[in-house]
Amino acid sequence: MKHTSTVGKTNRLVLVLLILGLSTIAFPLYLTSVIAFKQPSEMTNSISGILSLPKTWSLDNFREAMEVTNFWRSLGNSLLISVLTVGLSILVHSLMGYALGRNKAHSKFYNFVYLFIVSGMFVPFAILMMPLAKQTAELHLANWAGVIILYVVFYMPMNIMLYSGYLVNIPMALEEAAKVDGASTWTTYWKVIFPVMTPMHATVAVITALAVWNDVMTPLIIMAGSGENTLPLAQLNFQSQFGTNYNLAFASYLLSLIPILIFYLVCQKQILNGVTNGAVK
């Protein structure tokens, strides 16, 4: 009976925590959706005026937001940068993670390189911001190509740590069997190891895509003056010196949320497998 009572209390505590967690997600999403469909005249200073449902559900804010942000051009830039960054990250970071993960345990050099790269996670972007802006301008990389290169470097520490940790779950017997069959290290990696790491590829893809898709600072610093905008940069048009047009801004936020949400839903199963397998040694 005592055990059953303890389990019941634990379940109730978990339920309360889940409700609180859901509230922190559902309430901002509700607020964003409601304001996006409202007209500016419906916005009042009272709490009830902000939280109440729109009197008429209209898509006018979405149409105007798409015009202000040059939506399709900005969306294309964001997709281009995100897709190329994710693709390069998976190819480059998985290869580096494999090389370091398989050798750092018995090589001081590889272990040093691994720790040196991973330590990059602790370097704040604010310190690198101005030097990077100057260097990319001098190298004629003050454009989307320079932003992609910087993203691949910025997310290298985290991704290499994830890949190296995931490799612990892949038995060496697979590589040994491939070598017995005459496969080279290069062939073994691409034909055996790379496909096995598919769950971690999905995890890295979503983490990197989310960070790139929502980033404002890097494109703002590097692409300033190029005449090209990503979606987050274009959404700065809703903010002025005297205020923010919340109706258009929130409509634009919902529009920009759709592509990355679809991508996450597609990769969700693989992400769960990657997290689960990476947590068990």
Side-chain angles (χ1 to χ4, degrees):
M1 289 293 293
K2 185 176 181 181
H3 175 70
T4 304
S5 177
T6 303
V7 172
K9 290 181 179 179
T10 303
N11 291 337
R12 285 194 293 271
L13 178 60
V14 171
L15 180 61
V16 171
L17 292 176
L18 287 175
I19 293 174
L20 290 175
L22 178 63
S23 300
T24 60
I25 298 174
F27 179 72
L29 186 59
Y30 166 80
L31 197 62
T32 302
S33 302
V34 166
I35 294 177
F37 284 96
K38 283 184 176 182
Q39 296 301 315
S41 59
E42 298 181 58
M43 298 289 292
T44 64
N45 294 326
S46 64
I47 298 297
S48 59
I50 296 176
L51 297 179
S52 61
L53 294 174
K55 296 178 181 178
T56 56
W57 296 83
S58 173
L59 296 177
D60 291 342
N61 289 332
F62 292 90
R63 284 192 287 266
E64 188 173 349
M66 292 176 70
E67 294 176 2
V68 172
T69 59
N70 193 3
F71 179 77
W72 296 113
R73 183 62 178 269
S74 301
L75 176 64
N77 290 334
S78 289
L79 286 174
L80 174 67
I81 292 173
S82 299
V83 170
L84 290 180
T85 299
V86 169
L88 288 173
S89 296
I90 291 176
L91 292 175
V92 176
H93 299 164
S94 63
L95 187 59
M96 294 180 66
Y98 171 70
L100 295 173
R102 284 299 193 224
N103 294 286
K104 65 185 178 69
H106 53 267
S107 171
K108 291 184 178 180
F109 172 75
Y110 281 98
N111 188 53
F112 170 78
V113 173
Y114 172 77
L115 294 175
F116 178 77
I117 293 176
V118 171
S119 66
M121 289 190 295
F122 304 103
V123 180
F125 178 72
I127 296 177
L128 306 173
M129 185 168 56
M130 295 311 297
L132 286 175
K134 183 175 178 61
Q135 289 178 2
T136 51
E138 291 178 350
L139 295 172
H140 304 288
L141 289 174
N143 47 41
W144 59 265
V147 172
I148 292 173
I149 294 173
L150 290 179
Y151 279 146
V152 173
V153 175
F154 289 161
Y155 303 122
M156 183 186 299
M158 173 64 74
N159 292 343
I160 286 180
M161 185 176 69
L162 291 173
Y163 278 119
S164 298
Y166 189 81
L167 278 168
V168 176
N169 303 285
I170 302 177
M172 287 293 297
L174 292 176
E175 298 175 51
E176 293 170 356
K179 289 180 180 179
V180 170
D181 292 337
S184 64
T185 302
W186 187 255
T187 302
T188 300
Y189 173 73
W190 289 113
K191 295 293 182 66
V192 179
I193 302 300
F194 189 82
V196 172
M197 291 196 297
T198 298
M200 186 50 66
H201 294 328
T203 303
V204 167
V206 170
I207 292 175
T208 304
L210 280 172
V212 171
W213 189 264
N214 295 315
D215 185 40
V216 177
M217 189 59 67
T218 305
L220 180 63
I221 297 299
I222 304 302
M223 295 173 60
S226 66
E228 296 292 339
N229 283 330
T230 60
L231 273 177
L233 276 184
Q235 288 167 352
L236 294 178
N237 292 327
F238 301 120
Q239 300 178 2
S240 66
Q241 181 181 357
F242 303 103
T244 301
N245 190 328
Y246 290 104
N247 302 92
L248 297 186
F250 282 25
S252 181
Y253 297 157
L254 286 179
L255 288 173
S256 64
L257 175 65
I258 294 174
I260 199 67
L261 181 61
I262 294 173
F263 179 64
Y264 174 79
L265 293 176
V266 170
C267 298
Q268 184 179 20
K269 184 178 179 180
Q270 294 293 342
I271 294 171
L272 293 175
N273 290 336
V275 172
T276 303
N277 294 334
V280 180
K281 183 174 180 179

